[in-house]
């Protein structure tokens, strides 16, 4: 028999549900797949950044699609990125750095290419966002904009609490920060305290390369996480979105042998054919995606299942999960 | 200027310490590199598994070295692995599965190759290990065998506590499990309670593929983590070691397009030339490595620095880290 490491998917492949008695507990992926259409939220093409790399050695196309974060997150950098894409600034640049278990980074390797006029200089204060928890948190902590991670052992090693804010994984704390406040204590006790949240460096998140502080980067130099979540970068560098498809075109690239994983031989750099906002592409070429609403019952069941795997193959549910192990389900909405 | 994403290393490359005033706070890597020889513990060649893959497309050698776990962890499976290596069982097998942000898996793709006689069938109870915390925990929780993760926000989303046990990242709980017990509460209060610990699925950890429970796998089918730590697999599948060098030869392989990332075309499989216990190799070909003792002051400073980055580039120390973001430093001890 094939050794099926990947629990849920494997078991469901091996044993069609109909063939089982009793019916197995669904996997997180199965729960998301079964969510009604009304639980899915369309991602506007204007919020998708489409990066086409030069074809691979076999001549196959390599497209990476990045979802940009909504307000109130990182809008200064994202505004710059929209200008850079509109100016076709990245066309002819390249992926210049791939460091194992860390990041793949792209931009102008020559570092001499002039930037478009009118880019913003964004202050470090924009790494976090102040939110009024009362306005976003509803009964049991699930509001129309925020959902906490499932209860249980669920704590965050890097923040007082973590959860999902309008479709994005975030962490946060109350100001002034008080070690006594934890994820579990967040609600309702802390609902009325000044609170800041920030996006977190999970696998596939896209951030803005920068020089030493107080520089915060323009958005012209971007990277994506291709290893274990480097959460120590949270609040130290801007995150602007996440790769929602095609990350394998970056994560499986040869690792650079230079310092920090930069390619030492420029022939090893991977050419970027173009980067566009999807809404600027011909309609037929515009990718369509949607994500599972954090406020849906389906999402609550999905998140609970991620934290407590009870589907076939598993024998001990963990009783918790870190925020980066609960990715927000995204799927193609191609017509 | 080059945008230096990778904080510490980048800054130290850009600004030699001598050129700076005041001297910068060292990065975790710099702290480990400065540790005295007496803080490093040699890894016996008999505990190293050497996997040679067929040369890559450029004809370059691809060697992966795996450190096997010491007793009391997973010795049943590790005994099987020693027998399989001694029988040269893996020679001519292949890497058959590479799933993005999850695992690379190798073994006999035909699933027809006979196993050596005398392999053990290991019970699921071996996924965890009972330990007498009194015997391993010394003052402040740092004993000769165990060191807790640094205090602070440091909690574990998957276990009551986590730390380092004889050079390995582990998590654990007290039996019977009580939600009130946490990492911070571990010492001295819980020192005398029955305790179990288990190895954790961090990046680079190597585990044993298995069929549905109660099968626990023989050790012939192995995988390594190439993405965000899938901690939900802890206590559900056996871990037997960690890749200490050459993981890029697995993590940068093309992702499989079949179910679970299996290669659909057998031509895509990566041939394994040989897998040997290092002590069975000619002396000149035996790799030599050592790891930083968890009980050394250097390690304590290293771990604290991983949880509180204050080296150049960082502006906000996290105040914590998850166990998988505190890898045990391992270095070549080649003469």
């Amino acid at each position: 028999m094939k050794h099926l490491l990947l629990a849920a998917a494997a078991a469901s492949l091996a044993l069609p549900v109909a063939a089982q008695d009793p019916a197995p507990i669904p996997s997180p992926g199965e729960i998301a797949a079964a969510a009604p259409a009304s639980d899915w939220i369309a991602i506007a093409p204007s919020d998708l950044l489409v990066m086409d790399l030069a074809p691979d050695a076999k001549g196959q196309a390599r497209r990476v699609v990045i979802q940009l974060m909504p307000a109130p997150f990182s809008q200064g950098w994202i505004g710059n990125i929209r200008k850079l894409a509109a100016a076709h600034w990245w066309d002819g640049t390249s992926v210049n750095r791939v460091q194992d278990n860390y990041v793949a980074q792209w931009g102008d390797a020559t570092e001499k290419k002039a930037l478009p006029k009118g880019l913003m200089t964004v202050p470090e204060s924009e790494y976090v966002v102040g939110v009024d928890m009362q306005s976003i948190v509803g009964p049991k902590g699930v509001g129309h904009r925020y959902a906490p991670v499932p209860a249980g052992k669920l704590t965050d090693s890097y923040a007082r609490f973590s959860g999902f804010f309008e479709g994005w994984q975030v962490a946060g704390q109350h100001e002034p920060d008080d070690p006594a406040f934890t994820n579990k204590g967040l609600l309702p006790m802390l609902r009325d305290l000044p609170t800041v949240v920030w996006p977190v460096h999970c696998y596939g998140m896209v951030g803005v390369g920068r020089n030493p502080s107080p520089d915060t980067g323009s958005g012209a130099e971007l990277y994506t996480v291709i290893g274990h979540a480097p959460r120590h970068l949270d609040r130290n560098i801007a995150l602007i979105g996440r790769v929602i498809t095609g990350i394998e075109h970056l994560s499986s690239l040869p690792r650079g042998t230079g310092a920090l994983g930069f390619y030492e031989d420029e022939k090893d750099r991977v050419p970027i054919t173009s980067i566009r906002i999807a809404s600027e592409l011909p309609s037929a070429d515009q990718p369509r995606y949607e994500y599972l609403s954090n406020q849906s019952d389906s999402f609550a069941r999905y998140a609970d299942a991620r934290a407590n795997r009870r589907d076939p193959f598993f024998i001990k549910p963990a009783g918790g999960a870190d925020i980066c192990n609960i990715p927000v389900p995204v799927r193609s909405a191609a017509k």
Side-chain angles (χ1 to χ4, degrees), chain A:
Chain A
M1 280 176 68
K2 186 171 292 297
H3 286 249
L4 299 171
L5 165 64
L6 207 186
S12 57
L13 284 170
L15 305 171
V17 171
Q20 295 182 52
D21 184 14
I25 294 173
S27 69
E30 291 166 337
I31 291 169
S38 58
D39 287 350
W40 294 85
I41 298 174
I43 300 171
S46 57
D47 290 333
L48 294 176
L49 195 64
V50 179
M51 172 164 69
D52 288 327
L53 304 177
D56 66 16
K58 295 178 178 176
Q60 294 173 320
R62 292 186 282 189
R63 171 165 285 190
V64 179
V65 179
I66 295 163
Q67 178 186 10
L68 298 171
M69 298 194 79
F73 300 106
S74 306
Q75 295 301 295
W77 294 281
I78 290 170
N80 289 349
I81 287 166
R82 292 180 184 283
K83 288 192 177 78
L84 288 155
H88 299 183
W89 188 83
W90 281 290
D91 300 11
T93 62
S94 52
V95 179
N96 306 312
R97 171 194 185 190
V98 182
Q99 182 169 8
D100 196 67
N101 191 22
Y102 199 47
V103 299
Q105 187 169 336
W106 59 93
D108 170 35
T110 71
E111 302 179 63
K112 294 191 170 72
K113 190 169 183 174
L115 293 170
K117 291 201 189 320
L119 297 191
M120 229 184 118
T121 296
V122 190
E124 292 178 337
S125 56
E126 295 296 303
Y127 290 153
V128 303
V129 170
V131 294
D132 173 356
M133 294 303 283
Q134 269 187 320
S135 74
I136 64 175
V137 176
K140 299 177 187 169
V142 181
H144 66 295
R145 296 174 66 195
Y146 177 82
V149 284
K153 288 200 201 73
L154 258 185
T155 52
D156 192 287
S157 301
Y158 299 85
R160 297 297 167 219
F161 63 86
S162 53
F164 306 90
F165 189 96
E166 300 198 326
W168 293 80
Q169 294 151 303
V170 299
Q173 68 186 25
H174 307 285
E175 301 289 5
D177 183 29
D178 180 335
F181 298 153
T182 67
N183 196 26
K184 291 174 191 167
L186 173 63
L187 306 160
M189 177 175 85
L190 308 177
R191 203 175 293 182
D192 56 358
L193 293 178
T195 303
V196 295
V197 298
W198 55 86
V200 290
H201 275 81
C202 298
Y203 190 93
M205 287 293 288
V206 178
V208 176
R210 65 164 172 89
N211 292 314
S213 174
D215 179 63
T216 63
S218 66
E221 184 87 3
L222 297 172
Y223 65 89
T224 189
V225 174
I226 59 166
H228 187 71
R231 294 281 308 276
H232 51 286
L233 294 174
D234 296 353
R235 297 184 290 170
N236 284 280
I237 194 162
L239 287 167
I240 55 84
R242 62 186 168 205
V243 174
I244 58 175
T245 188
I247 191 158
E248 66 276 14
H249 301 309
L250 297 166
S251 58
S252 67
L253 290 174
R255 280 35 180 164
T257 52
L260 311 179
F262 280 95
Y263 289 126
E264 295 178 284
D265 183 339
E266 65 180 54
K267 290 193 302 297
D268 293 332
R269 296 173 187 157
V270 179
I272 294 172
T273 307
S274 73
I275 295 183
R276 299 283 184 278
I277 295 293
S279 51
E280 296 174 356
L281 296 172
S283 174
D285 195 31
Q286 292 181 12
R288 303 276 177 179
Y289 292 95
E290 54 193 12
Y291 70 92
L292 187 61
S293 168
N294 300 153
Q295 279 67 52
S296 66
D297 291 342
S298 303
F299 185 88
R301 288 196 303 276
Y302 160 83
D304 176 72
R306 290 287 301 186
N308 299 280
R309 297 297 295 267
R310 300 185 186 89
D311 41 306
F313 188 91
F314 284 90
I315 53 181
K316 273 197 191 290
D322 68 86
I323 185 69
C324 289
N325 258 340
I326 309 177
V328 174
V330 175
R331 70 181 184 187
S332 172
K335 296 177 193 60

